[in-house]
Amino acid sequence: MCKYQLFKWFQPGKACIFAAMADQQESLKPIVSHAKEYGYVFPSSEIYDGLGAVYDYGPYGSELKNNIRNYWWKAMVHLHENVVGLDAAIFMHPTTWKASGHVDAFNDPLIDNKDSKKRYRADVLVEDYLAKYEQKIEKEVKKGKKRFGDDFDEEQFRATNPNVKRAQDKIDNVTGRMKEALDNNDLVALQQLIEDEGIADPDTGSKNWTEVRQFNLMFGTQLGSVAGDSSTIYLRPETAQGIFVNFLNVQKSSRQKIPFGIAQTGKAFRNEIVARQFIFRMREFEQMEMQFFVRPGTEMEWYQYWKEKRMNWHQALGTDPARLRFHDHIKLAHYANAAVDIEFEFPFGFKEVEGIHSRTDYDLGRHQEFSGKKLQYYDPELQQNYVPYVVETSIGLDRMFLLILSSAYTEETLEDGSQRTVLKLPPALAPVKVAVLPLLKKDGLPEKAREVLDELRFDFNCQYDEKDAIGKRYRRQDAIGTPYCLTIDHQTLEDGTLTIRERDSMAQERIAIEQVRQIVHDRVDMTKLLRQI
Ligand code: ATP
């Protein structure tokens, strides 16, 4: 919920991210096409050429998404006695969005090019322009490294090289002007900056721009058959507000005492202007949010608690720790007293996956004001009523999906020189846990394989495959990320053993059929991950 916790991205070195952004389409390409080919993610309504920034999840994608959601729900709700769930409606009373500030402030600055008719987010246009200067700097540094070898002092080089200094001055100057314009909500100054720098439409080179204007990201529609302002309702741009307005309902019905939390997963909708990052930025997406209600004055303790818990949740999945980091917001929204993002190094650079925010009593206070209903808690220990403070954790399910896919996607050259593409998914999240493969399509092997499968399918999502040579079938399972393949051969019929092949090491072992369940269970069980959090 921090579109209007403005400009958290202003930070030294952020321009590196800008540079990477230019290449993001390219760097994502293999993942996007793999996701489509193997039934993970399809463009929405593709037969009609798709719909911008809207995607559908295929057979394996929907399984992976369910597993991620389940992992989050178990960690947040089942493992915390004082966190309970909610499933609020997408539509809410229109005043909700007045109170939350979304009607007035959930905006992005928008600019159109009059010649190309293309629409851009004005701040992103400037970011991409700055990326070129950052690229220049990196090029100079590379040249310097090559020239001076071991004697190269990068820090000194950056501080003294005239070309680097010129480019850095430009970045600092433009960044400063943009920050000031955005901070003051001064769209004329933003427009002036684009004009002064001669920033052109990246696609056509045209500098023929409209003025910059604010664009509200909420999708509006009409309730019932009467048109007009009073019946305009919105598709929720975040799930959090359903939790705030239900605060007392949940607290009373579940007899929770403060501190306690309410967790929810569900769809959210934002009419994003720039939509070119696959499922990283979508117009319809899913959030997993938890609002934790605490006694005023204790919020920093809980903020630290959830910060740590959430990072542990990510790390338990085995994600490379070097690709995960915290990024503190430099500029806080007026109502927040702490905010941090968990960022992941996507193929296009470090980007936010999750936000942890300490939001004071702002949200409940606003709903109390706009509804005229008390949203307070009687604290028996203090013997007083107060509006609780809130610490929230907010993660995008689709962004998390992209994180998992990006860190799992691996192209390998094997010892024999052949190539394989494998999704090294955390086994607990893998859509299919076991593939059962008869070596041949005859001699009773398919029947035996089906027997094994019928036993295992009660415990795991399994797949049966008898088509093509065994090597090809292994590759197919590697590509969808199945942790184990079981091969049934003639020996199986004789002595009740089979071959189990592990996805990442490709190691094969002969084991008794009775051992399979335990071996697979030990590796794919989510409990192991949950215990690490
Ligand atoms: P961004 O700065 O990337 O626009 P945000 O700070 O506005 O995101 P929040 O409002 O804090 O995001 O939303 C919480 C989480 O929801 C984000 O961390 C992200 O994972 C996810 N999210 C937000 N917008 C989108 C979107 N358009 N598509 C997919 N996921 C999103």
Side-chain angles (χ1 to χ4, degrees):
M1 71 143 49
C2 48
K3 254 277 133 31
Y4 50 113
Q5 284 178 349
L6 285 176
F7 322 125
K8 57 182 185 275
W9 50 268
F10 276 99
Q11 54 177 310
K14 185 83 183 199
C16 303
I17 295 173
F18 304 158
M21 278 170 66
D23 296 332
Q24 57 201 348
Q25 300 282 71
E26 277 309 304
S27 56
L28 271 179
K29 251 187 185 162
I31 294 172
V32 175
S33 57
H34 190 87
K36 182 170 174 228
E37 187 179 349
Y38 289 95
Y40 273 87
V41 184
F42 308 128
S44 160
S45 13
E46 197 187 8
I47 58 167
Y48 296 105
D49 297 331
L51 183 65
V54 185
Y55 291 89
D56 298 336
Y57 288 85
Y60 299 119
S62 46
E63 292 282 348
L64 176 57
K65 216 173 152 194
N66 281 343
N67 293 344
I68 298 172
R69 195 192 292 109
N70 195 19
Y71 175 50
W72 184 87
W73 190 265
K74 282 185 183 223
M76 301 301 280
V77 182
H78 295 182
L79 290 188
H80 288 93
E81 259 176 61
N82 60 351
V83 177
V84 290
L86 180 73
D87 184 3
I90 286 171
F91 288 135
M92 298 184 71
H93 191 284
T95 311
T96 309
W97 306 111
K98 275 252 159 228
S100 68
H102 284 81
V103 170
D104 295 323
F106 198 57
N107 299 321
D108 275 341
L110 173 99
I111 192 165
D112 288 303
N113 188 281
K114 289 184 196 162
D115 297 327
S116 70
K117 311 279 180 244
K118 291 218 162 161
R119 178 161 284 185
Y120 294 92
R121 237 173 85 176
D123 53 334
V124 173
L125 205 58
V126 178
E127 286 173 10
D128 286 351
Y129 166 73
L130 288 179
K132 294 193 188 111
Y133 285 93
E134 189 61 33
Q135 276 162 350
K136 258 187 210 161
I137 293 178
E138 295 312 314
K139 226 172 170 175
E140 289 291 339
V141 170
K142 224 175 178 176
K143 265 194 339 210
K145 264 186 196 151
K146 211 166 158 192
R147 214 168 98 212
F148 296 111
D150 287 345
D151 296 334
F152 185 63
D153 180 340
E154 186 171 333
E155 203 176 315
Q156 195 194 352
F157 183 82
R158 283 182 185 269
T160 52
N161 179 284
N163 292 341
V164 171
K165 273 183 69 184
R166 236 188 333 271
Q168 192 58 52
D169 285 349
K170 171 64 86 181
I171 290 170
D172 293 345
N173 175 274
V174 172
T175 305
R177 281 182 68 186
M178 176 149 82
K179 175 169 163 39
E180 196 180 332
L182 292 173
D183 276 352
N184 298 330
N185 205 5
D186 186 346
L187 301 183
V188 176
L190 193 53
Q191 163 95 30
Q192 196 56 50
L193 177 61
I194 290 169
E195 300 262 321
D196 291 350
E197 293 299 320
I199 298 175
D201 180 334
D203 279 352
T204 62
S206 159
K207 296 178 185 169
N208 193 7
W209 296 110
T210 62
E211 77 283 12
V212 177
R213 52 198 193 284
Q214 289 291 20
F215 175 74
N216 192 287
L217 300 182
M218 282 198 295
F219 285 98
T221 185
Q222 301 295 319
L223 186 69
S225 57
V226 188
D229 266 2
S230 59
S231 60
T232 297
I233 59 166
Y234 299 98
L235 295 179
R236 66 182 176 197
E238 61 176 26
T239 55
Q241 300 305 322
I243 290 179
F244 292 128
V245 300
N246 274 301
F247 160 68
L248 276 185
N249 281 339
V250 175
Q251 188 264 319
K252 286 185 175 149
S253 60
S254 59
R255 297 169 48 247
Q256 287 288 342
K257 290 195 170 61
I258 271 176
F260 81 98
I262 306 177
Q264 163 162 245
T265 70
K267 288 275 175 131
F269 304 83
R270 296 182 187 179
N271 202 358
E272 300 280 1
I273 300 165
V274 181
R276 56 176 182 199
Q277 296 154 304
F278 190 38
I279 54 171
F280 180 83
R281 191 173 298 286
M282 302 160 87
R283 297 202 165 102
E284 174 181 339
F285 58 102
E286 196 165 333
Q287 288 187 314
M288 306 190 287
E289 296 198 294
M290 194 274 309
Q291 269 67 36
F292 199 70
F293 301 91
V294 304
R295 186 185 286 174
T298 64
E299 69 275 13
M300 291 320 289
E301 228 172 89
W302 288 108
Y303 174 72
Q304 289 306 335
Y305 173 86
W306 285 111
K307 211 175 133 177
E308 194 181 317
K309 279 275 161 197
R310 293 306 306 149
M311 188 54 109
N312 292 349
W313 184 88
H314 285 278
Q315 287 178 344
L317 287 168
T319 305
D320 177 0
R323 294 179 75 182
L324 284 169
R325 71 180 186 194
F326 284 120
H327 168 229
D328 283 311
H329 290 199
I330 287 174
K331 185 175 188 325
L332 295 173
H334 60 92
Y335 49 80
N337 57 10
V340 69
D341 290 337
I342 293 178
E343 293 186 337
F344 172 72
E345 190 184 19
F346 286 98
F348 44 88
F350 271 100
K351 292 279 203 167
E352 170 183 345
V353 185
E354 170 157 11
I356 297 138
H357 313 125
S358 173
R359 303 181 53 86
T360 69
D361 58 357
Y362 176 79
D363 306 273
L364 288 180
R366 292 277 290 185
H367 285 302
Q368 185 167 260
E369 184 189 331
F370 277 70
S371 67
K373 310 266 165 44
K374 274 212 161 91
L375 290 176
Q376 299 188 355
Y377 173 78
Y378 177 73
D379 191 323
E381 275 176 39
L382 297 182
Q383 298 192 347
Q384 78 183 54
N385 282 306
Y386 54 77
V387 177
Y389 272 35
V390 171
V391 175
E392 76 171 357
T393 71
S394 175
I395 177 169
L397 176 49
D398 312 85
R399 243 178 233 191
M400 187 60 204
F401 186 109
L402 186 58
L403 181 161
I404 294 289
L405 218 52
S406 316
S407 55
Y409 181 85
T410 315
E411 290 173 10
E412 283 180 349
T413 305
L414 304 179
E415 270 173 19
D416 64 1
S418 66
Q419 296 273 330
R420 76 160 182 164
T421 304
V422 51
L423 285 187
K424 295 187 172 176
L425 296 168
L429 300 186
V432 179
K433 308 295 191 212
V434 194
V436 185
L437 320 169
L439 188 62
L440 300 172
K441 240 197 292 184
K442 57 181 186 182
D443 303 338
L445 299 184
E447 290 75 7
K448 186 70 189 170
R450 288 221 171 260
E451 218 178 89
V452 172
L453 177 84
D454 286 341
E455 266 309 302
L456 292 175
R457 63 163 37 123
F458 292 101
D459 297 282
F460 314 110
N461 190 23
C462 304
Q463 200 168 77
Y464 175 83
D465 191 4
E466 60 177 24
K467 197 170 172 289
D468 299 321
I470 193 75
K472 217 167 171 188
R473 281 182 270 166
Y474 285 153
R475 290 288 172 278
R476 250 193 322 258
Q477 295 301 329
D478 289 344
I480 61 173
T482 306
Y484 287 112
C485 290
L486 307 177
T487 308
I488 313 295
D489 55 18
H490 292 95
Q491 194 179 332
T492 313
L493 303 181
E494 284 163 24
D495 64 6
T497 63
L498 48 69
T499 306
I500 185 164
R501 173 190 182 267
E502 198 275 327
R503 178 194 66 200
D504 300 348
S505 63
M506 295 184 290
Q508 300 190 17
E509 203 188 331
R510 191 113 208 147
I511 57 166
I513 291 177
E514 297 79 61
Q515 291 176 275
V516 172
R517 179 180 290 112
Q518 195 57 48
I519 290 177
V520 176
H521 180 271
D522 285 349
R523 178 106 193 275
V524 306
D525 184 26
M526 202 176 269
T527 313
K528 257 202 320 218
L529 303 189
L530 293 166
R531 282 190 194 283
Q532 291 173 51
I533 302 169

